[in-house]
Amino acid sequence: MPPTAHDPAAGPASSAGHDPATGHAPATEDPLADLLAAWTALLHRCGAAVDPAPYGRELLRRWSEPQRRYHTTTHLRAVLERVDELAGHAADPEAVRLAAWFHDAVYRPDRSENEERSAALAVRALTAAGLPAERVAEVERLVLLTVGHDPAPGDRNGEVLCDADLAVLGGTPEAYGAYAAAVREEYGFVPAPDFAAGRATVLRHLLALPALYRTPVARERFTAAAHANLTAELGTL
């Protein structure tokens, strides 16, 4: 930890990193500025009739709520990156990106229907922004798909969103362990036996899906590691 007061033995305090005109350190760069810029650009590409920035800040506030440990802006950023990687498979990549922004926008571990509430939020926000009703409906449908992560065959938009959301399962054992620990933190109010039973149900559902990943890129990249990670965690419960 840096000292809280200047050590007189070290000589005059350094002015490195300070604005020579004011003598003050420059304002800290907003770590979420890239996400806000991405949201604003996306809404402009989609034909927003209002300034997207204020609502983008509201979304980022939601994604930064204190009850979140895994479902944070880090997760949002990761899902958006995976959507970009898989976008060539989607029929409407912009709709998938919009759905990624909203898929966990409402997240309360102590409540059910988070996906349904997130989908309703997307409808209200995107309609107010002036986006076409057809695209708004597609975003709503995609957000609701993340309840079970089981898109129908040929649902290319759904396949991209679900694969992007589940990509974390196919990480290294260390990364997967950090993800699982963060999820457990979010459910810290649940007694260990109850959490283990509920978590096991989720893991078995994922392992029982006809295919955990549907896009060719994600299937090749993540399947083997994801099955190993899920099976290993299930064995600890």
Side-chain angles (χ1 to χ4, degrees), residues 14-235:
S14 170
S15 62
H18 286 60
D19 183 342
T22 64
H24 298 302
T28 303
E29 184 177 349
D30 181 359
L32 302 181
D34 63 321
L35 284 172
L36 182 59
W39 162 263
T40 301
L42 173 61
L43 268 288
H44 281 312
R45 292 197 304 272
C46 292
V50 299
D51 178 7
Y55 201 85
R57 285 188 282 271
E58 167 62 13
L59 270 177
L60 291 171
R61 183 199 64 77
R62 288 177 174 273
W63 280 94
S64 302
E65 291 164 338
Q67 76 275 12
R68 298 171 182 256
R69 294 295 183 272
Y70 169 67
H71 296 87
T72 64
T73 54
T74 299
H75 172 60
L76 171 61
R77 185 178 279 109
V79 172
L80 290 169
E81 289 174 355
R82 298 294 86 76
V83 169
D84 284 346
E85 293 170 2
L86 303 173
H89 183 82
D92 184 354
E94 303 292 47
V96 180
R97 291 185 177 98
L98 289 168
W101 271 94
F102 283 96
H103 80 287
D104 284 323
V106 176
Y107 186 73
R108 289 289 300 272
D110 58 336
R111 296 182 183 176
S112 61
E113 300 184 340
N114 284 316
E115 291 85 359
E116 291 83 354
R117 293 170 186 268
S118 295
L121 181 67
V123 171
R124 293 196 301 271
L126 298 178
T127 300
L131 270 62
E134 182 178 353
R135 180 168 267 165
V136 173
E138 175 66 355
V139 173
E140 178 186 25
R141 184 188 73 82
L142 290 171
V143 173
L144 291 172
L145 266 182
T146 62
V147 173
H149 295 92
D150 189 16
D155 179 3
R156 298 172 75 89
N157 290 338
E159 289 172 347
V160 169
L161 179 63
C162 290
D163 282 8
D165 196 25
L166 296 181
V168 64
L169 305 180
T172 64
E174 294 77 15
Y176 183 90
Y179 145 75
V183 170
R184 180 63 183 109
E185 280 190 58
E186 289 182 334
Y187 287 87
F189 59 91
V190 179
D194 296 337
F195 177 82
R199 181 69 176 166
T201 298
V202 171
L203 299 181
R204 291 191 184 102
H205 165 75
L206 292 169
L207 286 166
L209 289 173
L212 190 54
Y213 299 102
R214 312 302 176 88
T215 64
V217 171
R219 188 163 54 240
E220 179 178 352
R221 181 176 173 187
F222 299 124
T223 299
H227 277 272
N229 288 330
L230 291 167
T231 302
E233 185 188 356
L234 191 57

